Amino acid sequence: MEKILEELSRIVGPQYVSNHPEELFIYARDPGTMEARRPDWVVLPDSTEEVRQVVLLANREKIPIVPLGGGLVLSGLTRALKGGIVMDLKRLNRILEVDEANRYALVEAGTSQGMLQAHLQKHHPRLKHSIPDAPPIATLAGNILIHGSGHLSHAAGFHSDMLNGLEVVLPTGEVARIGSCSASPYWFGRAPLPDLAGLFLGWFGTTGIVTKLAVKLFPNRSLNDVEMFVVEDPDLVPDIIRRLADLQVAEDLTAWMAPKPDWARGFQHVNINYGADSPAELVWKQKAIRASLQKYRDQKIGGFMPLPPPMKKGLLETPQTSLTRFADVRKGGGFEYVGGIMPVSCFPQAYRQGIVVPPGPASSARATA
Ligand SMILES: Cc1cc2nc3c(=O)[nH]c(=O)nc-3n(C[C@H](O)[C@H](O)[C@H](O)COP(=O)(O)OP(=O)(O)OC[C@H]3O[C@@H](n4cnc5c(N)ncnc54)[C@H](O)[C@@H]3O)c2cc1C
């Protein structure tokens, strides 16, 4: 064990490797409800080459490695089930390029959602990336590798669909590039070669450690608004989503239900986020959204909820801080994801199955087109 510690120290520097129980304590658990599993070492590499050297060492000694981004996935995926190394990638957090013309950002794998958001707001205010409602320290890589979703997912798909390319350290220590970056200096898309990203997306870091990635950027509208449509019958939700999707006006649709606060109990809500570059465009979009659901309003089985300004402000936040406040089990809150990736038509069935278990504080499903 001491020999491994020495070798790891030589690769990343002694201050970036630890086997101290008090430091391993935090790396043994995530904010979810799964029981803790302690790793033997935690390492924080600072370059693709350091990642490669650690992987070569682990391969030689047959030591398992668990890559870690923000550690916020809530499903226990970043716990070291068989001990070994937790590789914390947060030092790999450089924003390498923002290509305004070709609409992508190239970042190192430990770059957090908050870091890219802040960088774009400061240096490229006309552009944004799609942000999950996770706390801002969640990394782009960790989220994309679990097919995450966020504030532009309705129009542009899962976050894995917004990936333009990857640099990955394979278990053999070879470094692979996926996408246009493998054949050119540009990270503009996953074509033209066979798309091998599927070997890594949805594999939770078990097939390679991502060190760089490029994500698509989208226009950051100067005006943003949100509507909330409410019905009682969950069987109506798929048609409501379909109507809104056909309109192609919303940036994001989120169907949700919650036993708290009391006004929300027993109702299905669909949040409709949209943006515009002028007041006239915003009004036009609001009218189009309202017209698309007129049928339900005429039948008096659904309606738009008036949103007081503080509530609207909260709903327009990205990420929504109201969610993060009660997320951490270690601090007395907590919730678990039950795996809500499904076709829109299955929504009522999933809702009914979801409510037979003791209700958690909230549940939501983001609708991708
Ligand atoms: C309050 C709250 C709200 C949330 N809302 C959303 C939401 O709206 N949308 C959503 O999609 N998710 C949401 N989540 C879930 C989760 O936090 C996010 O998906 C988050 O982005 C995961 O990123 P992370 O950096 O924390 O990943 P981690 O938890 O660190 O890692 C996720 C997985 O990827 C692997 N991994 C991480 N980095 C690498 C790498 N560089 N190479 C290879 N494998 C790697 C890990 O081993 C693990 O299996 C939410 C979580 C909370 C707590």
Side-chain angles (χ1 to χ4, degrees):
M1 299 292 267
E2 280 307 314
K3 189 178 127 253
I4 302 290
L5 186 71
E6 270 171 36
E7 286 203 49
L8 289 171
S9 301
R10 219 173 22 250
I11 297 169
V12 296
Q15 66 275 47
Y16 296 113
V17 56
S18 177
N19 63 352
H20 295 165
E22 67 276 17
E23 278 162 345
L24 298 183
F25 177 88
I26 194 73
Y27 284 99
R29 44 190 49 80
D30 73 8
T33 53
M34 304 275 175
E35 72 183 45
R37 293 295 182 87
R38 215 175 76 167
D40 296 300
W41 305 273
V42 55
V43 291
L44 289 93
D46 189 36
S47 65
T48 302
E49 182 52 25
E50 288 184 5
V51 171
R52 210 177 75 78
Q53 292 297 332
V54 174
V55 168
L56 285 172
L57 165 66
N59 198 341
R60 191 188 76 212
E61 301 290 337
K62 300 289 169 257
I63 299 169
I65 301 182
V66 178
L68 172 85
L72 284 166
V73 79
L74 293 179
S75 333
L77 286 175
T78 53
R79 295 168 311 146
L81 291 186
K82 296 180 179 169
I85 298 170
V86 164
M87 185 184 281
D88 184 341
L89 291 148
K90 287 187 199 69
R91 289 177 72 213
L92 280 175
N93 63 3
R94 286 159 278 246
I95 295 168
L96 301 172
E97 185 187 357
V98 173
D99 186 328
E100 287 212 9
N102 298 309
R103 295 257 177 97
Y104 66 80
L106 170 62
V107 301
E108 289 184 330
T111 304
S112 70
Q113 303 285 345
M115 287 174 73
L116 182 59
Q117 184 182 30
H119 181 87
L120 293 174
Q121 278 168 358
K122 188 165 176 194
H123 301 289
H124 309 273
R126 294 291 298 152
L127 292 173
K128 64 181 175 184
H129 76 294
S130 181
I131 295 171
D133 273 326
I137 56 153
T139 61
L140 283 128
N143 184 262
I144 281 173
L145 291 171
I146 62 157
H147 293 299
S149 61
H151 285 254
L152 299 171
S153 279
H154 162 62
F158 292 113
H159 285 158
S160 43
D161 297 323
M162 304 180 200
L163 175 77
N164 278 5
L166 289 174
E167 179 187 89
V168 196
V169 176
L170 303 178
T172 55
E174 290 157 289
V175 179
R177 283 204 170 180
I178 312 291
S180 60
C181 64
S182 65
S184 83
Y186 299 104
W187 292 64
F188 66 92
R190 306 238 285 265
L193 296 172
D195 183 6
L196 299 180
L199 294 173
F200 306 98
L201 298 172
W203 286 86
F204 313 124
T206 54
T207 51
I209 298 179
V210 173
T211 44
K212 292 190 186 94
L213 67 160
V215 295
K216 291 187 195 310
L217 299 176
F218 299 87
N220 187 21
R221 309 278 179 213
S222 49
L223 299 169
N224 290 286
D225 213 337
V226 58
E227 302 287 322
M228 191 187 286
F229 196 69
V230 184
V231 288
E232 235 170 323
D233 182 356
D235 289 318
L236 301 180
V237 174
D239 184 61
I240 291 167
I241 301 269
R242 263 194 303 273
R243 282 166 185 267
L244 291 164
D246 286 352
L247 200 60
Q248 297 189 1
V249 157
E251 287 189 343
D252 193 23
L253 299 175
T254 310
W256 64 275
M257 68 298 301
K260 289 277 177 195
D262 287 341
W263 57 258
R265 187 195 302 264
F267 290 99
Q268 309 293 326
H269 309 78
V270 180
N271 293 3
I272 308 151
N273 287 63
Y274 57 106
D277 283 321
S278 69
E281 186 189 346
L282 201 69
V283 170
W284 175 85
K285 286 186 170 170
Q286 188 198 48
K287 281 188 183 157
I289 288 166
R290 286 176 171 257
S292 72
L293 300 176
Q294 189 60 39
K295 169 184 142 181
Y296 293 108
R297 298 164 76 197
D298 290 345
Q299 292 174 16
K300 301 202 182 330
I301 51 175
F304 286 93
M305 194 167 124
L307 299 174
M311 189 172 169
K312 201 170 245 204
K313 190 164 167 258
L315 293 172
L316 287 169
E317 270 183 343
T318 47
Q320 281 190 43
T321 48
S322 60
L323 266 181
T324 60
R325 271 202 296 275
F326 61 77
D328 198 336
V329 166
R330 296 167 302 188
K331 295 177 184 159
F335 59 79
E336 263 188 80
Y337 277 105
V338 288
I341 293 184
M342 62 188 152
V344 170
S345 59
C346 292
F347 180 91
Q349 185 192 345
Y351 168 70
R352 290 195 173 95
Q353 277 178 261
I355 56 167
V356 288
V357 296
S363 129
S364 74
R366 182 166 268 117
T368 59

